Amino acid sequence: MCAMPTEDATAEVSADETVAETGERDQFSGNLGFILAAVGSAIGLGNIWRFPFITAANGGAAFVLVYLGLLVVMGLPVLLAEIAVGRKAQLNAVGAYRDAGEQGETWKYAGLLGVVAALTVLSFYAVVAGWTIQYVLGSVTGAYFGDPGTYLQGILEGPSAILFQLIFMSLTAMVIAAGVSDGIENTVEVLMPALFLILGGLAIYAFTLDGAGAGYSFFLSPEWGIFTDYGSLPALLVDAAGQAAFTLSLGQAALITYGSYLGKDRDLSGSSLAVVVGNTSASFLAALAVFPMLASFGILGTAGGVETTFQALPAFFASLDLWGRVLGVAFFSVLAMGAFTSAISLLEIPVSYAVDEFGVERWKAAVLIAEAVALFGLLSALDQDFLTMADQIAVNLLIVTGIFLISVYAGWYFPDLKEEVNRGANYVKLGGFAQIMLRYVTPVLLLVLVLFSYYDFACNTVGLC
Ligand code: PHE
């Protein structure tokens, strides 16, 4: 791990002379590198694990329609806004909120909230990612084939959870230490195509299984009743919006940070569309792979979550013996790769903050912050209840607050939004309609989401009502 020449230069930047002013900032070498990095951030445990089950549990195709609608009215505008704020300022989350628009001295705390959210998510995300590595290895050796349930209990908490969390964090830190183009971009250029190839292969294989049809209909059969069940409609909207935000990596300045490494001639709206389409495709491919497998094994009804991914599917792989090992390696590698490219974006958020604002050398920031996160993550690696709590605090409080804040900032305090988006746009330019959406529709929608989410957290997580 050695520092790049450019980073040495950034280390010498004094506090009042930002990296942006010295022009020494690393950049993505092209639109494709940026898109792959942003898609890599987006595709993760949220797509392969969360999406299939949240859909099946919430009315199938009816939920998918709500979710897709929210991706368009909320996900895409917020994504675009984050990238535009980052690209405008050419600075980390805190610096970008401070410098891109008006009243920055107040708004910089929204950036700080993003940094805190990223650190919190990374602390438990790395633990779950560690499980996926253990399952790749377990598929190779067949270690879980005898008794998937016991294997799962053995790896969730304790020494092996800690060990693999540390391995995962070290790998993530190495990529970040190498820089944006040499580290992040080179990694996602290999891993993203591989992930899509393997996931596509798994979906095709699943199509050939007996009972695939039952799997598809379990996933998608629409329950239109959800639209008229007014009592549960708000909770459904919150679920769909939360999923849309988490899966696109919104609300914690990941895209502000990546956007800050984009050149001024890059196409922001085209890239944003590509990210949403790429991320949604991965979610659907994952569902099309997972449900037929569960259906063919006769365990379609099992609840979602940890047990299904790390116990029911492994039981199916175990039943296939040698072929099951191949499938197991393929499936858990996809999970591990998705988690890795997401974790990379999460670590980059605090690292770019340390580099830009405090002049810390990149590699030092990467190592020190990764160590601190790993230390905090020990709590999640030792106690599952803590992990669940960290997840809920991060998603239901920090991230939803983050997307609400960026939407208000973009709509009301960032007058250059339209100019920034349209500079370099090849296909889609931001017009009056989009601006009205960003000013009036998205913030109001998100305010409702935030309030429901807080209420849900207070009632169901803390148990206040
Ligand atoms: N989008 C990632 C997923 O779906 C999670 C993530 C959230 C990653 C925020 C980075 C930032 O798993």
Side-chain angles (χ1 to χ4, degrees):
M1 264 186 267
C2 58
M4 307 299 300
T6 46
E7 279 107 37
D8 282 337
T10 59
E12 287 154 20
V13 174
S14 69
D16 50 352
E17 189 190 12
T18 65
V19 176
E21 284 157 4
T22 62
E24 293 292 354
R25 227 157 176 266
D26 202 354
Q27 278 196 345
F28 287 107
S29 64
N31 267 346
L32 186 64
F34 169 75
I35 290 171
L36 289 175
V39 169
S41 171
I43 298 177
L45 302 168
N47 304 64
I48 296 148
W49 169 13
R50 213 157 174 261
F51 174 76
F53 295 104
I54 208 169
T55 301
N58 277 299
F63 176 83
V64 170
L65 281 184
V66 175
Y67 168 77
L68 291 178
L70 284 171
L71 277 187
V72 175
V73 300
M74 183 201 86
L76 197 56
V78 173
L79 181 81
L80 191 58
E82 282 205 18
I83 301 175
V85 167
R87 208 250 316 248
K88 165 81 189 176
Q90 301 278 304
L91 282 172
N92 67 92
V94 177
Y97 263 112
R98 187 191 55 222
D99 290 3
E102 295 162 352
Q103 301 197 14
E105 281 308 316
T106 307
W107 275 105
K108 72 180 182 201
Y109 295 105
L112 208 52
L113 178 81
V115 174
V116 172
L119 293 169
T120 312
V121 172
L122 187 55
S123 76
F124 67 82
Y125 206 84
V127 176
V128 181
W131 302 346
T132 68
I133 302 179
Q134 297 196 68
Y135 270 93
V136 174
L137 299 177
S139 304
V140 175
T141 61
Y144 61 72
F145 278 33
D147 185 352
T150 311
Y151 184 80
L152 176 66
Q153 291 316 317
I155 65 142
L156 282 181
E157 297 174 351
S160 66
I162 294 174
L163 175 70
F164 283 91
Q165 175 229 17
L166 290 180
I167 293 175
F168 182 82
M169 281 305 295
S170 310
L171 293 172
T172 309
M174 276 162 72
V175 172
I176 294 302
V180 174
S181 47
D182 289 348
I184 301 175
E185 197 168 340
N186 283 347
T187 308
V188 296
E189 271 171 5
V190 176
L191 292 189
M192 280 299 108
L195 181 146
F196 271 99
L197 268 179
I198 302 175
L199 203 49
L202 283 170
I204 293 172
Y205 162 77
F207 177 71
T208 66
L209 292 171
D210 284 343
Y216 297 140
S217 60
F218 179 74
F219 167 46
L220 281 180
S221 59
E223 290 162 29
W224 301 118
I226 62 166
F227 290 118
T228 46
D229 178 2
Y230 300 116
S232 54
L233 202 56
L236 176 100
L237 281 174
V238 170
D239 262 2
Q243 173 64 15
F246 186 75
T247 191
L248 286 175
S249 304
L250 301 177
Q252 48 195 311
L255 276 310
I256 295 184
T257 307
Y258 273 5
S260 75
Y261 300 117
L262 268 179
K264 290 288 181 191
D265 53 340
R266 302 294 176 202
D267 183 347
L268 300 192
S269 53
S271 303
S272 301
L273 269 174
V275 171
V276 173
V277 170
N279 179 61
T280 310
S281 318
S283 295
F284 275 85
L285 279 178
L288 296 181
V290 166
F291 286 115
M293 289 195 228
L294 294 176
S296 80
F297 198 50
I299 48 171
L300 202 48
T302 36
V306 175
E307 279 78 17
T308 308
T309 309
F310 294 104
Q311 190 171 335
L313 276 175
F316 167 67
F317 298 145
S319 76
L320 298 177
D321 217 7
L322 190 62
W323 185 222
R325 292 190 190 209
V326 177
L327 284 175
V329 170
F331 179 76
F332 287 111
S333 303
V334 164
L335 264 181
M337 290 191 284
F340 189 44
T341 51
S342 294
I344 288 172
S345 73
L346 284 167
L347 184 58
E348 181 58 29
I349 298 165
V351 167
S352 73
Y353 173 51
V355 170
D356 289 353
E357 302 291 320
F358 303 104
V360 183
E361 276 179 78
R362 169 173 277 275
W363 75 268
K364 272 190 202 153
V367 171
L368 288 176
I369 294 172
E371 278 171 2
V373 171
L375 207 63
F376 181 43
L378 284 183
L379 293 170
S380 294
L382 287 170
D383 181 5
Q384 270 246 26
D385 292 337
F386 187 88
L387 191 152
T388 311
M389 188 70 187
D391 178 354
Q392 278 167 348
I393 291 178
V395 178
N396 297 348
L397 295 182
L398 304 180
I399 292 182
V400 290
T401 308
I403 49 174
F404 171 64
L405 291 178
I406 183 72
S407 76
V408 173
Y409 183 73
W412 296 89
Y413 294 90
F414 180 37
D416 298 340
L417 176 71
K418 190 169 161 190
E419 187 198 328
E420 190 61 38
V421 171
N422 291 343
R423 174 208 304 262
N426 296 325
Y427 312 104
V428 190
K429 292 220 192 265
L430 204 62
F433 177 70
Q435 272 202 313
I436 289 174
M437 292 287 295
L438 270 168
R439 283 210 120 178
Y440 301 102
V441 180
T442 315
V444 173
L445 234 144
L446 288 174
L447 182 63
V448 175
L449 167 73
V450 168
L451 294 178
F452 269 117
S453 209
Y454 288 173
Y455 174 76
D456 189 54
F457 185 84
C459 275
N460 299 329
T461 309
V462 189
L464 288 182
C465 33

